[in-house]
C-alpha cells in the first residue's frame, strides 16, 4: 500500500494499544513499554503480529517516549530494535506498513518549561535518524504545539517519510498551552504534515465530537485514535471495558463523520481492531470540499483575514529614540510594555522589528519574539530584511507567523518565498518590482 496515494481514497486502519497489551503480558506500571523492545522482543513481536492478523494496515513501533531526554543514549537501541521488530512482523505476515512512533520528549519548552527549542528538536532528530526502515512517522499524544512543531521539523528535515501529527486535548478541545482545535490545525497544516490526528485522552464518542469541529478548520486527512472508553479502577488497576462491538460501532460513526484514518489507543486490543476492520474497512469516505484559509496564529490564538485586521507597529526603532536605546541595551521589558499596551488598545497582530545597524539582529529578533510570546497570545508579524534573522525567527516562532515583507523583485522573492514555504508563514506582498510600482 502506498500511504500517500491511499489518503482520502480508502480508509486506512492503524493498530491499537501496545502498552496495555504488554501489561497483560506482565509489564509493570513502573516499566516503560519501549524497554521491552530490548528485554522482551518476542512479546512485542507477538503484539504486532496479532494486529496484522486482525487486518490493520499500519502497525506503530513500540518506541513511544524513547528519546534522548527520557532514556539517554539507550534510545538508540530501543528505536532501532523497535523498527526491526515491526519490520519482522510485516515480513512474516506479508502485509502492512510500519509507522515510527514519536511521543512527547518528557519536558516542556521555554517559557512553559526549561528546555530549549533547539534541544528538543535535536532529540526528535536523533529518533528520526535511528528510525530508518519505517514507512511513515507518527508523532502522537502531543499536548504542546511548540513541541509538536519541533517534532514535525525534525521529521521533515531528516527523512522523506509521510508525517502524521496527532495531539491530545482536554474536554474543552484545548491543548496544554491553551491552543484550540483551529490553532492546532493552523500550525500543523502550515508546517506541511500529511495527516492531522486526535488520539488518546477520551473514548470514541468524545473524540468524534472533536473530529466534527476539527474538520471545519483543515483540509488535511484526519486520523482519530480513541481509547477503548474511559478506564475504571478494578482491584487497583485501570481497566477499559468497552467491547469490540461497541468500539467498532463508534469507529463507524467516526468514519461517517469524516475521518480518513482510524486506530485505537489505550485499552484497545486486536479484538477491537479486528471488529473495526470487519465493520469499517469498506465504508465510503466523506467527500470534503477544499477550503481556503487566510490566517495566522500564535501558540494559542488564530486570526483570520476575513475582516479588518489591526496590526500594532510600535515595536519598531524607526524614528523612536527610546526604542533604539532599549534594543541596544537589550531592555526587553520596554518591548513587552509596548506589546501589552497595543494588545489592550485592540491590536490583533503585533509587528516586531528590531532592525538597527549596530546590533546582532539575528540574536535580538529571536530573543524579542520569545520574550513577547511569553506575555501575549497575539500572533506576531516578523519584520526584517535580514534573511538569516528571518529564518531563525521563523524557526523558533510558536505558531504560524506573518512576514513583513516581500516584493515582486526576483531577488526579494528568491530570498523570502522559500522560507514562507518551509515554515508555512503568511506574507505581506508589496506591489513593486524591478520596473517600479
Amino acid at each position: 500500500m502506498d500511504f500517500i496515494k491511499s489518503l482520502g481514497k480508502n480508509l486506512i486502519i492503524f493498530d491499537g494499544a501496545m502498552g496495555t497489551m504488554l501489561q497483560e503480558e506482565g509489564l509493570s506500571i513502573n516499566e516503560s513499554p519501549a524497554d521491552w523492545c530490548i528485554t522482551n522482543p518476542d512479546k512485542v513481536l507477538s503484539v504486532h503480529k496479532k494486529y496484522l492478523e486482525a487486518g490493520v494496515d499500519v502497525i506503530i513501533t513500540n518506541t513511544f517516549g524513547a528519546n534522548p531526554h527520557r532514556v539517554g543514549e539507550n534510545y538508540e537501541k530501543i528505536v532501532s530494535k523497535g523498527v526491526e521488530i515491526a519490520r519482522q512482523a510485516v515480513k512474516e505476515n506479508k502485509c502492512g506498513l510500519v509507522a515510527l512512533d514519536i511521543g512527547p520528549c518528557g519536558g516542556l519548552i521555554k517559557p512553559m518549561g526549561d528546555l530549549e527549542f533547539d534541544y528538543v528538536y535535536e532529540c526528535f532528530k536523533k529518533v528520526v535518524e535511528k528510525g530508518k526502515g519505517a514507512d511513515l512517522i507518527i508523532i502522537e499524544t502531543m499536548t504542546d504545539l511548540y513541541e509538536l512543531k519541533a517534532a514535525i521539523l525534525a521529521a521533515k528535515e531528516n527523512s522523506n517519510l509521510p508525517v502524521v501529527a496527532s495531539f491530545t486535548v482536554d474536554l474543552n478541545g484545548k491543548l496544554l498551552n491553551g491552543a484550540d482545535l483551529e490553532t492546532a490545525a493552523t500550525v500543523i497544516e502550515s508546517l506541511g504534515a500529511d495527516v492531522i490526528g486526535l488520539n488518546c485522552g477520551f473514548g470514541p464518542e468524545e473524540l468524534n465530537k472533536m473530529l466534527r469541529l476539527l474538520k471545519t478548520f483543515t483540509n488535511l486527512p484526519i486520523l482519530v485514535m480513541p481509547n477503548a472508553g474511559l478506564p475504571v479502577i478494578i482491584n487497583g488497576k485501570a481497566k477499559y471495558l468497552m467491547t469490540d462491538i461497541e468500539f467498532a460501532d463508534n469507529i463507524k460513526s467516526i468514519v461517517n463523520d469524516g475521518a480518513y484514518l482510524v486506530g485505537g489507543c489505550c485499552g484497545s486490543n486486536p479484538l477491537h481492531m479486528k471488529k473495526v476492520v470487519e465493520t469499517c474497512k469498506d465504508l465510503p469516505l466523506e467527500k470534503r470540499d477544499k477550503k481556503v484559509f487566510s490566517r495566522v496564529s500564535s501558540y494559542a490564538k488564530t486570526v483570520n483575514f476575513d475582516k479588518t485586521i489591526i496590526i500594532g507597529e510600535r515595536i519598531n526603532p524607526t524614528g523612536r529614540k527610546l526604542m533604539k536605546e532599549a534594543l541596544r541595551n537589550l531592555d526587553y521589558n520596554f518591548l513587552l510594555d509596548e506589546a501589552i499596551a497595543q494588545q489592550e488598545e485592540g491590536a490583533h497582530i503585533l509587528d516586531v522589528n528590531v532592525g538597527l545597524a549596530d546590533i546582532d539582529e539575528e540574536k535580538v529578533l529571536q530573543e524579542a519574539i520569545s520574550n513577547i510570546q511569553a506575555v501575549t497570545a497575539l500572533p506576531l508579524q516578523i519584520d526584517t530584511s535580514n534573511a538569516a534573522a528571518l529564518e531563525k525567527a521563523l524557526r523558533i516562532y510558536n505558531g504560524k507567523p506573518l512576514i513583513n515583507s516581500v516584493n515582486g523583485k526576483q531577488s526579494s522573492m528568491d530570498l523570502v518565498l522559500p522560507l514562507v514555504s518551509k515554515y508555512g508563514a503568511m506574507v505581506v506582498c508589496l506591489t513593486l518590482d524591478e520596473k517600479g510600482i
Side-chain angles (χ1 to χ4, degrees):
M1 182 179 75
D2 186 305
F3 183 78
I4 292 296
K5 288 183 179 179
S6 296
L7 289 174
K9 296 179 181 177
N10 308 106
L11 180 67
I12 298 175
I13 301 177
F14 281 65
D15 61 12
M18 174 63 76
T20 46
M21 286 290 292
L22 294 182
Q23 286 173 7
E24 293 180 5
E25 295 293 326
L27 177 77
S28 74
I29 59 173
N30 297 319
E31 288 182 284
S32 167
D35 289 343
W36 274 35
C37 289
I38 307 300
T39 60
N40 292 280
D42 291 344
K43 291 184 177 179
V44 176
L45 175 64
S46 175
V47 174
H48 284 321
K49 290 173 67 175
K50 287 176 181 177
Y51 280 122
L52 289 170
E53 290 163 3
V56 305
D57 302 303
V58 183
I59 56 172
I60 300 173
T61 60
N62 182 36
T63 55
F64 184 87
N67 63 71
H69 186 72
R70 278 185 183 268
V71 300
E73 292 305 313
N74 206 35
Y75 84 90
E76 297 185 6
K77 294 179 181 178
I78 295 173
V79 173
S80 296
K81 189 64 175 178
V83 174
E84 179 187 320
I85 295 169
R87 285 251 67 95
Q88 182 181 344
V90 167
K91 182 179 180 180
E92 292 184 12
N93 283 267
K94 299 179 181 180
C95 64
L97 299 178
V98 173
L100 173 64
D101 192 4
I102 296 178
C105 73
L108 293 174
I109 303 173
K110 294 178 179 177
M112 288 186 69
D114 58 1
L115 301 181
E116 297 290 345
F117 179 85
D118 288 343
Y119 168 78
V120 174
Y121 168 86
E122 287 296 326
C123 284
F124 292 135
K125 175 184 175 182
K126 291 176 179 178
V127 174
V128 171
E129 291 174 338
K130 278 296 172 183
K132 295 201 179 338
D135 300 300
L136 61 140
I137 295 171
I138 180 168
I139 305 161
E140 51 124 335
T141 322
M142 289 287 181
T143 59
D144 178 9
L145 271 185
Y146 208 17
E147 184 178 15
L148 186 50
K149 175 177 179 174
I152 294 173
L153 287 176
K156 292 185 68 66
E157 291 178 353
N158 299 285
S159 81
N160 295 314
L161 299 179
V163 177
V164 177
S166 185
F167 56 94
T168 300
V169 294
D170 63 20
L171 269 176
N172 296 315
K174 292 193 174 184
L175 285 83
L176 178 66
N177 62 350
D180 57 15
L181 293 175
E182 182 178 20
T183 300
T186 300
V187 174
I188 291 170
E189 194 165 299
S190 73
L191 291 171
D194 298 289
V195 174
I196 187 172
L198 292 161
N199 80 282
C200 205
F202 301 104
E205 291 184 6
E206 291 81 4
L207 287 195
N208 198 7
K209 295 175 185 176
M210 308 293 180
L211 161 70
R212 292 195 289 268
L213 184 57
L214 177 62
K215 72 179 183 181
T216 67
F217 299 130
T218 184
N219 291 307
L220 290 176
I222 300 174
L223 163 70
V224 180
M225 298 179 68
N227 295 341
L230 296 175
V232 296
I233 305 301
I234 300 176
N235 296 326
K237 293 184 178 181
K239 297 289 185 180
Y240 293 84
L241 303 181
M242 181 172 280
T243 68
D244 56 342
I245 295 175
E246 291 173 320
F247 189 76
D249 285 344
N250 275 281
I251 294 294
K252 181 178 180 179
S253 297
I254 285 172
V255 176
N256 289 336
D257 282 339
Y260 287 0
L261 311 92
V262 295
C265 210
C266 301
S268 58
N269 59 45
L271 290 177
H272 289 102
M273 300 319 301
K274 181 179 181 181
K275 186 60 69 174
V276 168
V277 172
E278 294 171 353
T279 306
C280 304
K281 186 60 181 174
D282 296 323
L283 290 175
L285 302 183
E286 179 184 78
K287 300 301 180 184
R288 292 164 56 194
D289 294 329
K290 188 171 183 178
K291 298 175 281 290
V292 177
F293 300 105
S294 294
R295 60 194 182 188
V296 296
S297 81
S298 65
Y299 58 88
K301 184 177 179 62
T302 296
V303 172
N304 285 279
F305 284 78
D306 56 1
K307 57 184 178 297
T308 300
I309 300 299
I310 300 171
I311 300 179
E313 301 253 1
R314 290 184 59 79
I315 303 175
N316 189 322
T318 304
R320 303 195 64 207
K321 182 179 178 181
L322 292 178
M323 179 64 73
K324 290 178 181 178
E325 291 179 1
L327 290 172
R328 291 191 180 103
N329 295 327
L330 301 181
D331 178 10
Y332 293 114
N333 287 330
F334 188 89
L335 278 66
L336 302 187
D337 289 341
E338 289 284 13
I340 294 169
Q342 291 177 99
Q343 175 178 281
E344 291 174 348
E345 290 297 328
H348 301 113
I349 298 169
L350 300 180
D351 183 87
V352 181
N353 184 325
V354 300
L356 285 175
D358 52 350
I359 68 169
D360 181 349
E361 187 175 357
E362 292 180 35
K363 174 177 179 288
V364 174
L365 185 57
Q366 288 183 82
E367 291 181 351
I369 287 172
S370 295
N371 278 278
I372 292 168
Q373 288 206 291
V375 300
T376 177
L378 293 183
L380 303 183
Q381 174 175 271
I382 302 172
D383 187 353
T384 180
S385 58
N386 182 322
L390 176 59
E391 174 151 27
K392 288 187 176 181
L394 289 170
R395 195 168 186 82
I396 61 94
Y397 180 76
N398 194 353
K400 175 182 178 179
L402 181 61
I403 296 174
N404 187 14
S405 59
V406 70
N407 62 54
K409 293 179 180 179
Q410 194 63 48
S411 59
S412 177
M413 292 190 292
D414 289 345
L415 200 68
V416 177
L417 296 185
L419 297 177
V420 171
S421 176
K422 179 177 181 179
Y423 293 102
M426 282 191 69
V427 61
V428 175
C429 299
L430 308 182
T431 54
L432 174 72
D433 63 13
E434 291 84 353
K435 298 178 182 179
I437 294 175

